Amino acid sequence: MRFDIFSKISTLLNRVVDIITQGGLERVRVLNEFNRVFKSAFEIGEFDRLCSVTTSKGNQNFKHELSTIYLRSGFKITIMNDDNLKKQDFSRIAKYFVINKAFARKLMALGYDTLLIKGKSSTTGLEIPLKEIASLNDYMVN
């Protein structure tokens, strides 16, 4: 019984830390949902790359009025099985976001300003300003 209490407290504390470091409960829900979908797509063979989504440091040059004040303004997709990554792998993932302006605006409303797509162990990747995806360059202050 004692182990059960410590386990519950540990789980609760981990959830609180996640909420604080990720910037809010809604952000955590979005990240969890993306991770669930990416994992499912990989497991059933719809997608050859296993991806993980986290919040990370965004690009200062991509800031806008809705960007979070602290350094957690990047929506980062990490390709976990990054052996033999090609530029087209990054582009293929980015395509789903670039064509969805409404989702880019939702991410912006959550404080994100940068879409990052990187390999787990590679140094290459993409950084895309969300305000460009959402076609808001004329409406957002840099």
Side-chain angles (χ1 to χ4, degrees):
M1 182 168 179
R2 188 170 205 191
F3 176 75
D4 189 41
I5 292 172
F6 286 122
S7 176
K8 287 180 182 180
I9 290 171
S10 176
T11 301
L12 177 63
L13 289 176
N14 286 334
R15 290 179 74 200
V16 169
V17 168
D18 284 345
I19 291 168
I20 291 169
T21 59
Q22 300 302 334
L25 189 56
E26 189 172 1
R27 280 177 147 208
V28 171
R29 285 184 188 131
V30 168
L31 296 174
N32 287 342
E33 185 62 20
F34 260 95
N35 285 323
R36 187 189 63 74
V37 169
F38 273 132
K39 184 177 180 184
S40 176
F42 177 76
E43 287 174 349
I44 63 174
E46 286 181 356
F47 205 61
D48 294 334
R49 300 288 184 179
L50 177 60
C51 297
S52 173
V53 180
T54 57
T55 296
S56 72
K57 181 179 178 186
N59 186 324
Q60 289 290 102
N61 297 319
F62 301 163
K63 291 279 184 207
H64 53 74
E65 293 103 347
L66 304 175
S67 295
T68 56
I69 295 171
Y70 53 95
L71 299 173
R72 311 298 283 174
S73 64
F75 187 83
K76 182 178 179 182
I77 301 170
T78 303
I79 302 170
M80 303 307 286
N81 56 336
D82 62 348
D83 290 342
N84 302 316
L85 268 178
K86 297 176 181 74
K87 191 173 185 176
Q88 66 196 30
D89 292 317
F90 297 113
S91 300
R92 183 176 169 206
I93 294 169
K95 180 180 101 175
Y96 293 106
F97 293 90
V98 172
I99 63 173
N100 193 338
K101 293 178 186 199
F103 185 70
R105 289 178 184 210
K106 177 170 179 68
L107 289 177
M108 289 174 69
L110 290 172
Y112 293 109
D113 52 37
T114 309
L115 172 63
L116 299 109
I117 304 171
K118 303 207 181 244
K120 180 180 176 182
S121 59
S122 66
T123 57
T124 59
L126 293 176
E127 282 189 357
I128 303 169
L130 288 173
K131 63 185 174 187
E132 285 184 13
I133 295 172
S135 299
L136 293 175
N137 281 333
D138 297 336
Y139 304 102
M140 302 299 282
V141 176
N142 293 328

